[in-house]
Amino acid sequence: MPELVSHPEEVKVISRRWGQGAADIDKYIELGGYAALRKCIEQGPEWVINEMKTSGLRGRGGAGFPTGMKWSFVPKQSEKPKYVLVNGDESEPGTCKDHLIFLHDPHSVIEGTMIAGLAIGAKVGFIYLRGEYRYLIEIMERALAQCYERGILGKNIFGTGFDFDALSHTGAGAYEVGEESALMESLEGKRGVPRIKPPFPAVVGLYGGPTVINNAETIASVPFIIEMGGAAYAKLGTERNGGTRLFGISGKVNRPGVYELPMGYNLKKMIYEVAGGIPNGKALKAVVPGGASCPILRADEIDVGMDFDQMGKAGTMLGSAGVVVLDETVSIVEFALRTIKFYQHESCGWCIPCREGTDWLKKTMTRFYEGYGTTKDIDNMRYLAENMLGRTFCPLGDAAAMPMIGFFKKFRDEFEEYIRANPSAPESQALVELVGA
Amino acid sequence: MSPEMNSVPNTIFSPELAARFDKLVTLYPARRSALIPMLLYAQDEVGAVNDAVIAEIAQRIGITELDVRNVISYYSLLHTKPHGKFHVQVCTNISCMLRGGNEMLAHCKEKLGIGNKETTPDGIFSLEEVECIGACCWAPAVQVNYDFHDNLTTEKMDAVFENYRQKAGKS
Ligand SMILES: Cc1cc2nc3c(=O)[nH]c(=O)nc-3n(C[C@H](O)[C@H](O)[C@H](O)COP(=O)(O)O)c2cc1C
Ligand code: FES
């Protein structure tokens, strides 16, 4: 069982029931569960969407899109049924927060799904978990079954006339399926190849019906927002970045773990105070602040608040809030190779810039790592990555290119040093001439 | 397509799994949505998504076998050849790499005497280097079948192996 950590700086909102047996419905209700749903049924969809807008909650899946606004895009009238789809594919390297939500508080996901359904007029919700999370799927299935037993799911919930069905669903191993349109394809029983946008899922989604897709943490935050009120939730964070966030701190720190901290929390403090600093008296080298796809920050760039806007200003992203910490012993060349290996492996192969781009980056990085690199390779790789940006069918291409550009930009010295340090490698030519010779 | 058209009188699955599948296809707005869960659950019981599994699932869903194969080839957890009884999946992605994931993989190779994507001669263990399994804060992490093993050291990993070896001996 994954270890739970705690720190006095934490503001426990969505993690407040963790470790208390709240996967069981009685405990969940005892701790205040399903009261938010009752309130939402009383107050009605418009009130719910307004609370969500006021809360300043932004998507926890990575892109940070305002949740209330996303819900309001769903057309009120629709011939086809509407759906809620919860994204629990959680495959961004460095990210394991949804894991703990599913383990310790599955009912908060169910309750959030139902509230989202009420808000947009959907009668069915799907909770998609990555296939590796089998034990969590079983926990979720038990939680759902308990809801049906208690009449919290099904017809005429709480005698109010509100009907809702929810179902958990297993994936079978694929990072790309976390991309929302590929997620819908996968739920429909197909290869996880992304769909062209527009139309956006809010208009044409699952089975052709309007669909709201949210990350599991986003959805789990909903009942808490309703309980405390959107305005109070917003105040926990920073401007335009409401609430708290689950930060997964991993890598070279003394106390790795998932910590719930206010949005905008200082990254330096997070590493040195909350996570206990760097082990063995080593110096910090760099931080990947929000999962593998976010450009790296150098040690001198981490005195910055962790919210979507401040991270954007710092030239990177908050992403999935998976904070990966590198100390001075880590080779950026090796780290870059491992990163691009992942994206090359996970590219679905549908569009050429992503399929070929990730493949050539991996090939060139591999050769570079093996000691046959040239200065030209560094230029070529950066040029290639920059030309993938915005040119792929779905954002996986960007997710691969952005961190690579970051490595070359921030640690070019180290790449050059790597060439010098491997003088035994025979003089070699760049694999291809990409940049005008 | 009506359910009767897809009923399978001579199922290769256990009665429990067959009953589960009969229900699963009715839960979604479209039958085909049950495909990926069915493939994974069938694989768990049979050991691989082999020809017989593919044929029956194609029939249950009402799609061609080729269509089923196309889906299988996309998903990394699905395999058409059997693994060892205990499939050891070692994460070497960034967070695990920073805490000894590569060394853990090397240790497993040595301990089991097999390489990546190979199976021990007695069929008890198979080994695979995998991408992030969502246990980054508890790195290095290994998954054996569906069980997570967190915060590993090579000594702890040896104990994990021993545990599974005993389990294999009992059944
Ligand atoms: C390649 C790729 C992988 C993604 N993986 C995930 C994931 O595992 N979980 C997730 O919630 N969002 C993931 N996303 C983001 C989703 O596309 C989508 O933006 C998100 O689920 C929306 O929910 P939110 O608004 O609550 O963040 C991924 C995006 C891309 C491009
Ligand atoms: S990087 Fe190994 S579990 Fe995430």
Side-chain angles (χ1 to χ4, degrees):
Chain A
M1 181 101 86
E3 209 178 314
L4 283 180
V5 287
S6 205
H7 191 274
E9 288 280 295
E10 278 187 286
V11 177
K12 297 206 187 228
V13 180
I14 85 168
S15 62
R16 73 159 197 241
R17 295 193 191 98
W18 293 5
Q20 298 187 56
D24 185 70
I25 196 166
D26 289 320
K27 192 72 193 176
Y28 183 73
I29 291 172
E30 187 193 314
L31 295 171
Y34 292 112
L37 174 64
R38 272 181 202 272
K39 189 165 174 189
C40 291
I41 297 174
E42 273 164 36
Q43 299 286 335
E46 240 161 86
W47 178 86
V48 176
I49 290 183
N50 273 332
E51 282 305 307
M52 292 305 295
K53 284 186 175 164
T54 311
S55 75
L57 176 68
R58 294 169 67 173
R60 301 318 195 208
F65 195 83
T67 308
M69 201 192 296
K70 185 184 269 189
W71 293 7
S72 70
F73 289 158
V74 175
K76 286 214 170 57
Q77 304 300 327
S78 167
E79 270 172 33
K80 296 209 165 146
K82 304 179 207 177
Y83 301 99
V84 177
L85 173 52
V86 180
N87 191 345
D89 192 55
E90 187 157 75
S91 308
E92 171 87 358
T95 316
C96 54
K97 66 197 175 64
D98 299 340
H99 189 142
L100 292 181
I101 299 175
F102 291 129
L103 176 59
H104 293 286
D105 206 2
H107 284 286
S108 68
V109 178
I110 300 172
E111 188 173 5
T113 306
M114 295 174 78
I115 294 172
L118 179 91
I120 66 159
K123 297 264 166 273
V124 180
F126 298 98
I127 303 170
Y128 187 115
L129 279 78
R130 62 180 300 183
E132 291 84 350
Y133 284 176
R134 171 63 60 83
Y135 86 110
L136 302 172
I137 294 168
E138 285 167 1
I139 290 171
M140 184 55 78
E141 277 171 359
R142 275 198 297 279
L144 288 164
Q146 286 184 320
C147 288
Y148 278 104
E149 280 163 24
R150 304 299 171 89
I152 289 176
L153 278 169
K155 295 257 175 290
N156 194 21
I157 295 159
F158 303 138
T160 58
F162 174 57
D163 303 337
F164 198 82
D165 285 296
L167 190 63
S168 60
H169 185 92
T170 178
Y175 168 67
E176 168 59 4
V177 155
E179 192 280 330
E180 57 184 18
S181 68
L183 184 70
M184 296 191 289
E185 289 289 295
S186 181
L187 189 79
E188 292 181 10
K190 301 174 210 158
R191 292 170 71 90
V193 170
R195 297 178 183 173
I196 194 87
K197 289 181 231 177
F200 289 94
V203 183
V204 182
L206 269 176
Y207 314 107
T211 304
V212 150
I213 302 169
N214 276 126
N215 170 255
E217 183 187 349
T218 312
I219 285 290
S221 307
V222 172
F224 297 99
I225 291 170
I226 298 300
E227 266 171 51
M228 69 170 69
Y233 182 83
K235 270 201 213 112
L236 295 175
T238 48
E239 205 187 329
R240 297 184 56 239
N241 288 270
T244 55
R245 192 143 194 205
L246 298 174
F247 290 96
I249 312 178
S250 66
K252 303 280 195 183
V253 287
N254 278 313
R255 288 194 299 271
V258 177
Y259 298 90
E260 183 168 9
L261 295 160
M263 285 291 264
Y265 195 87
N266 184 278
L267 178 56
K268 195 169 183 176
K269 256 180 102 179
M270 201 181 285
I271 292 168
Y272 285 101
E273 290 179 30
V274 178
I278 321 292
N280 308 320
K282 295 277 187 266
L284 178 72
K285 179 174 201 167
V287 183
V288 175
S293 62
C294 301
I296 197 160
L297 293 171
R298 280 192 318 252
D300 59 1
E301 297 175 310
I302 63 159
D303 197 1
V304 54
M306 291 284 275
D307 65 26
F308 290 106
D309 302 324
Q310 294 180 70
M311 282 289 113
K313 263 193 220 133
T316 183
M317 298 181 307
L318 185 57
S320 64
V323 179
V324 185
V325 179
L326 288 68
D327 73 8
E328 57 186 331
T329 66
V330 179
S331 155
I332 295 290
V333 174
E334 190 186 358
F335 195 83
L337 173 62
R338 189 62 188 88
T339 302
I340 196 59
K341 263 191 183 169
F342 168 72
Y343 288 104
Q344 189 272 348
H345 182 254
E346 300 298 327
S347 172
C348 78
W350 180 250
C351 74
I352 295 164
C354 179
R355 182 183 66 211
E356 296 300 314
T358 54
D359 200 45
W360 279 102
L361 283 171
K362 181 186 141 183
K363 281 181 186 150
T364 317
M365 262 318 298
T366 304
R367 193 181 71 149
F368 196 97
Y369 177 74
E370 287 168 354
Y372 302 97
T374 67
T375 328
K376 192 79 183 169
D377 286 333
I378 312 174
D379 297 329
N380 275 347
M381 285 191 284
R382 181 161 171 186
Y383 180 80
L384 175 55
E386 280 170 352
N387 280 282
M388 286 165 68
L389 285 183
R391 295 205 169 90
T392 54
F393 204 81
C394 89
L396 192 143
D398 298 329
M402 286 182 300
M404 293 307 285
I405 296 168
F407 298 133
F408 302 132
K409 215 162 80 186
K410 300 279 169 71
F411 290 95
R412 189 181 170 100
D413 292 0
E414 193 173 324
F415 282 86
E416 287 174 353
E417 180 52 36
Y418 195 89
I419 301 172
R420 281 194 294 276
N422 289 280
S424 57
E427 249 322 290
S428 53
Q429 300 290 307
L431 277 180
V432 275
E433 287 288 330
L434 281 178
V435 188
Chain B
M1 201 171 299
S2 73
E4 300 79 58
M5 283 180 69
N6 303 90
S7 68
V8 178
N10 294 316
T11 177
I12 61 164
F13 303 124
S14 65
E16 298 76 35
L17 193 63
R20 186 172 184 193
F21 286 173
D22 288 341
K23 182 160 175 226
L24 202 61
V25 290
T26 66
L27 295 180
Y28 298 89
R31 250 187 125 76
R32 185 172 176 148
S33 281
L35 177 59
I36 292 156
M38 275 167 85
L39 287 168
L40 196 59
Y41 296 137
Q43 173 174 285
D44 292 342
E45 183 171 284
V46 177
V49 279
N50 59 25
D51 290 350
V53 169
I54 292 169
E56 178 167 338
I57 289 182
Q59 195 187 349
R60 283 177 175 271
I61 302 272
I63 59 177
T64 64
E65 290 182 29
L66 179 64
D67 216 346
V68 175
R69 285 179 200 280
N70 279 336
V71 170
I72 290 170
S73 68
Y74 181 90
Y75 293 94
S76 64
L77 288 181
L78 299 173
H79 48 93
T80 52
K81 299 253 161 29
H83 283 159
K85 190 173 165 66
F86 298 109
H87 187 53
V88 180
Q89 300 147 89
V90 183
C91 174
T92 58
N93 211 311
I94 51 175
S95 302
C96 288
M97 178 183 122
L98 293 174
R99 295 184 84 91
N102 287 328
E103 293 72 15
M104 185 57 65
L105 180 64
H107 179 76
C108 292
K109 283 180 181 169
E110 197 199 303
K111 196 80 191 169
L112 299 175
I114 53 175
N116 187 29
K117 298 195 176 172
E118 289 177 3
T119 306
T120 53
D122 60 9
I124 295 180
F125 290 108
S126 50
L127 182 64
E128 189 177 354
E129 176 181 9
V130 294
E131 299 296 355
C132 175
I133 50 178
C136 326
C137 291
W138 317 294
V142 168
Q143 213 177 358
V144 181
N145 295 346
Y146 292 107
D147 296 338
F148 281 90
H149 300 278
D150 305 328
N151 282 322
L152 286 168
T153 57
T154 47
E155 294 78 49
K156 280 196 209 165
M157 193 64 219
D158 289 346
V160 169
F161 281 135
E162 196 42 50
N163 209 340
Y164 284 109
R165 207 165 257 131
Q166 275 175 16
K167 267 193 202 164
K170 274 187 204 124
S171 59

